[in-house]
Amino acid sequence: MRVDLHTHSRVSDGTDSPTELVAAAAGAGLDVVALTDHDTTRGWAEAEVAAVRHGVALVRGAELSCRADHASVHLLSYLHDPDDADLLAEGERIRASRLGRARAMVDRIAVDHPLTWDDVLAQTQTGTTVGRPHIADALVALRVVADRGEAFASILATGSPYYVPYYATALLSAIAMVRAAGGVPVLAHPGAASRGRVVSDATIRAAADAGLAGLEVDHRDHTPAQRAHLAELAAELGLLVTGSSDYHGAGKPNRLGEHTTDRAVLEEVVAQGRLPVVGP
Ligand code: AMP
Ligand code: FE
Ligand code: FE
Ligand code: ZN
């Protein structure tokens, strides 16, 4: 059984619609795929229909923007109640802050490059969780850069003068909120150094005490040494170990199913989650 527990659609910063993503998952030979758009569950309804049609089991999820040790950390939540008031309000707060932040970044970039807010809006739809990838796509359309990768390596880099931060939930609060909403919280790519700093062991231990369910260990942003270390830490702390692609369609090189999660781990996630899997 092939299980990929981390993907993004156009509802956040992927380039496939939820339907296209589920169809691509079927085409890639996946039996189970999780849709985990940033800070929103807006893609779920469409993905549910596609899952039934394409014969792929859908794990409904989200990837929440968090902070720990003053760094950006991502928390995957699986199978939570999408109508939970606290989690909904927190998602709205993050997405509103992301929008203001994107406008502020465009204001800064516009001093040096021919970029307007309308150019960025043209890369989004109503309700999209707006992020740097949409600014990148606008810069690509204007031929300022060749692709998202080049944009992130230059104008949009975290250390760039154009960079503006946004509100994100404190990690331990987010874990408590996810559990209160019946969700299963898994730390996304904790060893990815692209965010400036990896999540410390101390933070992972504190997160485990706060109710964390698992660590995403097998991910392309982790070195073999990091995977070994994270797997050891997970065993010590009694955390589940997942593997996922973090697919973003054409927005990143990550391919569906390039890393997968064991069936027994999926079964444990489903056992802990409030919602069922949709589809076959
Ligand atoms: P933001 O949350 O708006 O600060 O943007 C971060 C998002 O940009 C992450 O969710 C990644 O999916 C995406 N991202 C980061 N680095 C790159 C890159 N080099 N190429 C494409 N997308 C990237
Ligand atoms: Fe992303
Ligand atoms: Fe992430
Ligand atoms: Zn992701």
Side-chain angles (χ1 to χ4, degrees), residues 40-60:
T40 186
T41 62
R42 199 178 278 260
W44 285 12
E46 187 185 318
E48 287 164 22
V49 173
V52 172
R53 174 138 51 91
H54 292 282
V56 177
L58 175 71
V59 173
R60 291 167 287 180

mmCIF file of all heavy atoms in Angstrom, residues 40-60:
data_model
loop_
_atom_site.group_PDB
_atom_site.id
_atom_site.type_symbol
_atom_site.label_atom_id
_atom_site.label_comp_id
_atom_site.label_asym_id
_atom_site.label_seq_id
_atom_site.Cartn_x
_atom_site.Cartn_y
_atom_site.Cartn_z
ATOM 1 N N THR A 40 -5.633 26.026 5.648
ATOM 2 C CA THR A 40 -7.008 25.998 5.137
ATOM 3 C C THR A 40 -7.479 24.578 4.847
ATOM 4 O O THR A 40 -6.663 23.699 4.536
ATOM 5 C CB THR A 40 -7.142 26.852 3.853
ATOM 6 O OG1 THR A 40 -8.511 26.905 3.470
ATOM 7 C CG2 THR A 40 -6.333 26.283 2.706
ATOM 8 N N THR A 41 -8.798 24.380 4.926
ATOM 9 C CA THR A 41 -9.412 23.108 4.526
ATOM 10 C C THR A 41 -10.326 23.321 3.324
ATOM 11 O O THR A 41 -11.152 22.475 2.992
ATOM 12 C CB THR A 41 -10.248 22.503 5.685
ATOM 13 O OG1 THR A 41 -11.313 23.403 6.006
ATOM 14 C CG2 THR A 41 -9.396 22.279 6.923
ATOM 15 N N ARG A 42 -10.181 24.463 2.667
ATOM 16 C CA ARG A 42 -11.066 24.859 1.578
ATOM 17 C C ARG A 42 -11.057 23.880 0.397
ATOM 18 O O ARG A 42 -12.005 23.841 -0.380
ATOM 19 C CB ARG A 42 -10.642 26.250 1.085
ATOM 20 C CG ARG A 42 -11.674 27.004 0.307
ATOM 21 C CD ARG A 42 -11.133 28.369 -0.068
ATOM 22 N NE ARG A 42 -11.273 29.318 1.014
ATOM 23 C CZ ARG A 42 -12.243 30.223 1.096
ATOM 24 N NH1 ARG A 42 -13.123 30.307 0.139
ATOM 25 N NH2 ARG A 42 -12.316 31.042 2.111
ATOM 26 N N GLY A 43 -9.995 23.102 0.245
ATOM 27 C CA GLY A 43 -9.926 22.164 -0.877
ATOM 28 C C GLY A 43 -10.572 20.816 -0.607
ATOM 29 O O GLY A 43 -10.681 19.989 -1.514
ATOM 30 N N TRP A 44 -10.983 20.582 0.641
ATOM 31 C CA TRP A 44 -11.456 19.244 1.005
ATOM 32 C C TRP A 44 -12.639 18.772 0.164
ATOM 33 O O TRP A 44 -12.638 17.647 -0.333
ATOM 34 C CB TRP A 44 -11.866 19.199 2.489
ATOM 35 C CG TRP A 44 -10.734 19.179 3.458
ATOM 36 C CD1 TRP A 44 -9.406 19.409 3.216
ATOM 37 C CD2 TRP A 44 -10.844 18.904 4.861
ATOM 38 N NE1 TRP A 44 -8.682 19.305 4.387
ATOM 39 C CE2 TRP A 44 -9.536 19.002 5.405
ATOM 40 C CE3 TRP A 44 -11.910 18.601 5.710
ATOM 41 C CZ2 TRP A 44 -9.278 18.795 6.759
ATOM 42 C CZ3 TRP A 44 -11.661 18.391 7.071
ATOM 43 C CH2 TRP A 44 -10.349 18.484 7.581
ATOM 44 N N ALA A 45 -13.662 19.614 0.041
ATOM 45 C CA ALA A 45 -14.914 19.173 -0.602
ATOM 46 C C ALA A 45 -14.647 18.671 -2.021
ATOM 47 O O ALA A 45 -15.120 17.594 -2.418
ATOM 48 C CB ALA A 45 -15.926 20.313 -0.608
ATOM 49 N N GLU A 46 -13.880 19.439 -2.786
ATOM 50 C CA GLU A 46 -13.566 19.036 -4.161
ATOM 51 C C GLU A 46 -12.736 17.755 -4.174
ATOM 52 O O GLU A 46 -12.977 16.856 -4.992
ATOM 53 C CB GLU A 46 -12.799 20.177 -4.863
ATOM 54 C CG GLU A 46 -12.584 19.908 -6.342
ATOM 55 C CD GLU A 46 -11.723 20.988 -7.004
ATOM 56 O OE1 GLU A 46 -11.918 22.197 -6.717
ATOM 57 O OE2 GLU A 46 -10.863 20.611 -7.816
ATOM 58 N N ALA A 47 -11.780 17.653 -3.262
ATOM 59 C CA ALA A 47 -10.919 16.463 -3.217
ATOM 60 C C ALA A 47 -11.713 15.213 -2.841
ATOM 61 O O ALA A 47 -11.416 14.113 -3.320
ATOM 62 C CB ALA A 47 -9.772 16.690 -2.232
ATOM 63 N N GLU A 48 -12.709 15.372 -1.991
ATOM 64 C CA GLU A 48 -13.537 14.228 -1.578
ATOM 65 C C GLU A 48 -14.258 13.622 -2.783
ATOM 66 O O GLU A 48 -14.282 12.399 -2.970
ATOM 67 C CB GLU A 48 -14.573 14.671 -0.525
ATOM 68 C CG GLU A 48 -13.956 14.946 0.840
ATOM 69 C CD GLU A 48 -14.876 15.752 1.763
ATOM 70 O OE1 GLU A 48 -16.106 15.751 1.544
ATOM 71 O OE2 GLU A 48 -14.354 16.390 2.695
ATOM 72 N N VAL A 49 -14.812 14.482 -3.617
ATOM 73 C CA VAL A 49 -15.515 14.013 -4.821
ATOM 74 C C VAL A 49 -14.525 13.296 -5.736
ATOM 75 O O VAL A 49 -14.798 12.206 -6.255
ATOM 76 C CB VAL A 49 -16.171 15.213 -5.556
ATOM 77 C CG1 VAL A 49 -16.756 14.770 -6.892
ATOM 78 C CG2 VAL A 49 -17.243 15.853 -4.673
ATOM 79 N N ALA A 50 -13.356 13.896 -5.922
ATOM 80 C CA ALA A 50 -12.339 13.313 -6.809
ATOM 81 C C ALA A 50 -11.822 11.987 -6.267
ATOM 82 O O ALA A 50 -11.525 11.066 -7.044
ATOM 83 C CB ALA A 50 -11.190 14.299 -6.991
ATOM 84 N N ALA A 51 -11.715 11.866 -4.946
ATOM 85 C CA ALA A 51 -11.199 10.627 -4.340
ATOM 86 C C ALA A 51 -12.120 9.458 -4.667
ATOM 87 O O ALA A 51 -11.660 8.361 -5.030
ATOM 88 C CB ALA A 51 -11.068 10.798 -2.827
ATOM 89 N N VAL A 52 -13.427 9.687 -4.563
ATOM 90 C CA VAL A 52 -14.394 8.635 -4.870
ATOM 91 C C VAL A 52 -14.314 8.287 -6.351
ATOM 92 O O VAL A 52 -14.260 7.125 -6.747
ATOM 93 C CB VAL A 52 -15.821 9.093 -4.470
ATOM 94 C CG1 VAL A 52 -16.861 8.097 -4.961
ATOM 95 C CG2 VAL A 52 -15.903 9.278 -2.952
ATOM 96 N N ARG A 53 -14.226 9.332 -7.192
ATOM 97 C CA ARG A 53 -14.215 9.125 -8.640
ATOM 98 C C ARG A 53 -12.960 8.390 -9.111
ATOM 99 O O ARG A 53 -13.022 7.537 -10.003
ATOM 100 C CB ARG A 53 -14.318 10.494 -9.343
ATOM 101 C CG ARG A 53 -14.181 10.430 -10.847
ATOM 102 C CD ARG A 53 -15.153 11.325 -11.581
ATOM 103 N NE ARG A 53 -15.153 12.703 -11.102
ATOM 104 C CZ ARG A 53 -14.378 13.658 -11.610
ATOM 105 N NH1 ARG A 53 -13.542 13.385 -12.595
ATOM 106 N NH2 ARG A 53 -14.455 14.874 -11.138
ATOM 107 N N HIS A 54 -11.799 8.726 -8.524
ATOM 108 C CA HIS A 54 -10.541 8.165 -9.000
ATOM 109 C C HIS A 54 -10.074 6.945 -8.197
ATOM 110 O O HIS A 54 -9.000 6.402 -8.465
ATOM 111 C CB HIS A 54 -9.453 9.239 -9.011
ATOM 112 C CG HIS A 54 -9.687 10.306 -10.041
ATOM 113 N ND1 HIS A 54 -9.415 10.123 -11.369
ATOM 114 C CD2 HIS A 54 -10.221 11.546 -9.923
ATOM 115 C CE1 HIS A 54 -9.745 11.219 -12.045
ATOM 116 N NE2 HIS A 54 -10.243 12.099 -11.182
ATOM 117 N N GLY A 55 -10.845 6.562 -7.171
ATOM 118 C CA GLY A 55 -10.481 5.363 -6.421
ATOM 119 C C GLY A 55 -9.228 5.508 -5.588
ATOM 120 O O GLY A 55 -8.446 4.565 -5.438
ATOM 121 N N VAL A 56 -9.016 6.712 -5.046
ATOM 122 C CA VAL A 56 -7.889 6.943 -4.131
ATOM 123 C C VAL A 56 -8.482 7.301 -2.773
ATOM 124 O O VAL A 56 -9.458 8.056 -2.701
ATOM 125 C CB VAL A 56 -7.018 8.116 -4.627
ATOM 126 C CG1 VAL A 56 -5.886 8.408 -3.642
ATOM 127 C CG2 VAL A 56 -6.445 7.826 -5.998
ATOM 128 N N ALA A 57 -7.915 6.767 -1.701
ATOM 129 C CA ALA A 57 -8.396 7.122 -0.366
ATOM 130 C C ALA A 57 -7.804 8.474 0.028
ATOM 131 O O ALA A 57 -6.609 8.702 -0.128
ATOM 132 C CB ALA A 57 -7.997 6.045 0.633
ATOM 133 N N LEU A 58 -8.657 9.357 0.518
ATOM 134 C CA LEU A 58 -8.244 10.723 0.862
ATOM 135 C C LEU A 58 -8.197 10.908 2.375
ATOM 136 O O LEU A 58 -9.184 10.674 3.070
ATOM 137 C CB LEU A 58 -9.229 11.736 0.258
ATOM 138 C CG LEU A 58 -8.997 13.197 0.639
ATOM 139 C CD1 LEU A 58 -7.742 13.751 -0.039
ATOM 140 C CD2 LEU A 58 -10.217 14.051 0.298
ATOM 141 N N VAL A 59 -7.028 11.351 2.855
ATOM 142 C CA VAL A 59 -6.890 11.791 4.249
ATOM 143 C C VAL A 59 -6.995 13.307 4.226
ATOM 144 O O VAL A 59 -6.167 13.982 3.613
ATOM 145 C CB VAL A 59 -5.541 11.343 4.845
ATOM 146 C CG1 VAL A 59 -5.330 11.950 6.228
ATOM 147 C CG2 VAL A 59 -5.464 9.820 4.909
ATOM 148 N N ARG A 60 -8.011 13.827 4.871
ATOM 149 C CA ARG A 60 -8.209 15.278 4.876
ATOM 150 C C ARG A 60 -7.303 15.910 5.929
ATOM 151 O O ARG A 60 -7.327 15.502 7.095
ATOM 152 C CB ARG A 60 -9.684 15.580 5.148
ATOM 153 C CG ARG A 60 -10.565 15.153 3.974
ATOM 154 C CD ARG A 60 -12.018 15.134 4.322
ATOM 155 N NE ARG A 60 -12.366 14.009 5.188
ATOM 156 C CZ ARG A 60 -13.596 13.771 5.638
ATOM 157 N NH1 ARG A 60 -14.580 14.579 5.330
ATOM 158 N NH2 ARG A 60 -13.826 12.717 6.403
#
